[in-house]
């Protein structure tokens, strides 16, 4: 196995993690910044540290990515498939970042894996794709919407007689904790996705055996790149999440972040399902906003975001398939 191909593939995987960090950093902190609970730089620094910590909290999601989506391909062709999958995900990440659309880096990666595998003639585990990716993709936003609505309703009832000014100040402080929880959940979910890809590359290169534990250096490298990307910031997407869907106040921000973090931890630890941070926090914001009044949510913006969710996997798959064709012509 060509060591150069392995190094290039791991390098591209780590670059994907970096784009994931600046693309999805908005998920963790947009609500805190928009309610002025945290300054943008303080929020990004906190999110970077918590992403780093979250990356070391488990390996269930990484196992799903490395063993449950496509059959581990072999040889130089296998490395080409992984490379093309990552290119598909990165290109879609950059396109949606440019337009400020909070699409899912996770589903861009899975779409890339499926597209490259189909183009390269590798088996796709459709049961795994449906059970671990497609069903959670539809279920998690619905859960986020309903849970956000319920959490906000409970908060409104508990604090119905509280001084509004004091309550807002208290929730502004509480948001530092809920935003940290979001960032921790993001690290837990998203760093593991790249770990799964790097492990596949190591198995293809015969450096690791199938089923081996994730090497510590892989965890550290993925965690550091996710944190670096997070600190670089995703201002375009932050504006969409923090302002365009609904003008959030601190209690709403706290409710949305608490809901999002809870769903991410539950899906990672209980189901080992790699869900999208973007889907969860966006739907939670919509649910929280709907408690004010249904038309307080800018459903036109929400519709464009949901449309982005649906086209992410097919679009990344198409780019990855095209990338594999080019790699096949050039190298394989």
């Amino acid at each position: 196995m060509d060591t150069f191909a392995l190094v290039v593939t791991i390098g591209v995987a780590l670059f994907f993690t970096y784009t994931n960090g600046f693309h999805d950093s908005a998920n963790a902190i947009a609500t805190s910044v928009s309610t002025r609970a945290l300054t943008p730089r303080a929020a990004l620094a906190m999110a970077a540290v918590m992403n780093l910590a979250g990356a070391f909290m488990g390996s269930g999601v990484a196992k799903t990515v490395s063993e449950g989506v496509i059959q581990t391909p072999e040889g130089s062709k296998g490395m080409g498939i992984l490379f093309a999958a990552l290119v598909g995900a990165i290109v879609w990440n950059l396109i949606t970042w440019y337009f400020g659309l909070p699409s899912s880096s996770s589903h861009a990666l899975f779409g890339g894996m499926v597209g490259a595998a189909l183009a390269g003639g590798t088996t796709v585990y459709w049961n795994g794709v449906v059970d671990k990716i497609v069903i959670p993709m539809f279920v998690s936003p619905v859960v986020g919407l309903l849970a956000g609505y319920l959490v906000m309703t409970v908060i409104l009832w508990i604090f119905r007689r509280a001084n509004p000014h004091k309550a807002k100040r208290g929730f502004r402080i509480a948001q530092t904790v809920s935003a940290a929880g979001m960032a921790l959940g993001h690290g837990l979910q998203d760093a593991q996705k790249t770990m799964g890809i790097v492990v596949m590359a190591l198995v293809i290169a015969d450096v690791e055996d199938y089923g081996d534990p994730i090497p510590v250096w892989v965890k550290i490298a993925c965690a550091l790149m996710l944190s670096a990307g997070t600190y670089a910031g995703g201002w375009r997407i932050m504006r969409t999440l923090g302002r365009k869907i609904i003008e959030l106040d601190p209690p709403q921000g706290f409710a949305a972040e608490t809901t999002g973090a809870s769903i991410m931890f539950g899906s990672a630890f209980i189901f080992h399902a790699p869900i999208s941070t973007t889907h969860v926090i966006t739907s939670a914001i919509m649910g929280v906003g709907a408690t004010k009044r249904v038309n307080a949510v800018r459903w036109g913006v929400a519709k464009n975001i949901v449309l982005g969710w649906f086209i992410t996997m097919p679009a990344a798959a198409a780019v990855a398939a095209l990338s594999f064709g080019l790699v096949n012509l050039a190298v394989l």
Side-chain angles (χ1 to χ4, degrees):
M1 168 53 62
D2 189 355
T3 307
F4 177 71
L6 174 63
V7 171
V8 168
T9 303
I10 291 174
V12 174
L14 293 176
F15 179 67
F16 166 75
T17 312
Y18 183 83
T19 67
N20 186 342
F22 74 69
H23 191 279
D24 288 6
S25 58
N27 299 332
I29 60 173
T31 46
S32 302
V33 172
S34 69
T35 61
R36 295 182 176 80
L38 293 167
T39 64
R41 278 292 159 207
L44 282 167
M46 180 273 293
V49 170
M50 298 310 281
N51 266 323
L52 191 64
F56 291 92
M57 288 178 63
S59 58
V61 171
K63 193 175 174 66
T64 297
V65 172
S66 63
E67 298 174 15
V69 180
I70 63 172
Q71 183 180 29
T72 303
E74 295 178 354
S76 57
K77 180 183 172 185
M79 206 61 86
I81 287 171
L82 280 194
F83 177 82
L86 290 161
V87 169
I90 289 168
V91 168
W92 187 248
N93 263 1
L94 293 175
I95 290 169
T96 50
W97 166 79
Y98 181 78
F99 289 105
L101 192 67
S103 73
S104 166
S105 294
S106 311
H107 291 103
L109 178 61
F110 300 136
M113 288 173 74
V114 170
L118 290 174
T122 292
T123 303
V124 175
Y125 297 137
W126 291 110
N127 280 349
V129 171
V130 171
D131 292 348
K132 295 287 188 181
I133 298 167
V134 177
I135 290 174
M137 182 171 84
F138 286 101
V139 171
S140 60
V142 174
V143 172
L145 190 76
L146 295 175
Y149 185 88
L150 289 173
V151 169
M152 192 63 216
T153 303
V154 169
I155 287 172
L156 288 170
W157 186 81
I158 291 171
F159 292 92
R160 65 193 184 283
R161 293 193 180 90
N163 178 303
H165 182 68
K166 278 185 180 175
K168 281 187 179 180
R169 194 166 62 215
F171 275 107
R172 201 167 267 133
I173 295 164
Q175 264 198 280
T176 57
V177 178
S178 57
M182 273 297 300
L184 199 64
H186 181 243
L188 171 67
Q189 281 276 347
D190 284 35
Q192 283 192 51
K193 289 159 192 165
T194 311
M195 289 178 205
I197 294 290
V198 174
V199 165
M200 284 181 84
L202 294 171
V203 170
I204 292 169
D206 287 329
V207 176
E208 291 275 314
D209 289 326
Y210 190 80
D212 279 358
I214 302 167
V216 174
W217 71 265
V218 173
K219 290 187 177 185
I220 292 170
C222 292
L224 287 175
M225 288 304 284
L226 188 68
S227 286
T230 298
Y231 193 68
W235 306 109
R236 291 171 184 269
I237 292 167
M238 204 183 298
R239 203 159 46 240
T240 301
L241 278 178
R243 293 283 181 199
K244 287 187 180 175
I245 298 174
I246 184 172
E247 296 284 339
L248 291 167
D249 62 22
Q252 291 171 327
F254 174 80
E257 287 167 347
T258 303
T259 300
S262 302
I263 294 168
M264 283 192 292
F265 283 115
S267 62
F269 287 125
I270 299 168
F271 302 109
H272 299 163
I275 64 164
S276 166
T277 326
T278 312
H279 292 186
V280 169
I281 190 62
T282 308
S283 56
I285 289 171
M286 290 179 202
V288 163
T291 59
K292 195 184 267 183
R293 60 182 190 282
V294 173
N295 62 359
V297 178
R298 297 185 183 106
W299 295 107
V301 174
K303 183 190 76 176
N304 292 340
I305 290 168
V306 172
L307 199 61
W309 295 353
F310 281 111
I311 63 173
T312 289
M313 278 188 75
V319 175
L322 181 65
S323 301
F324 180 77
L326 294 172
V327 169
N328 205 22
L329 281 173
V331 182
L332 303 179

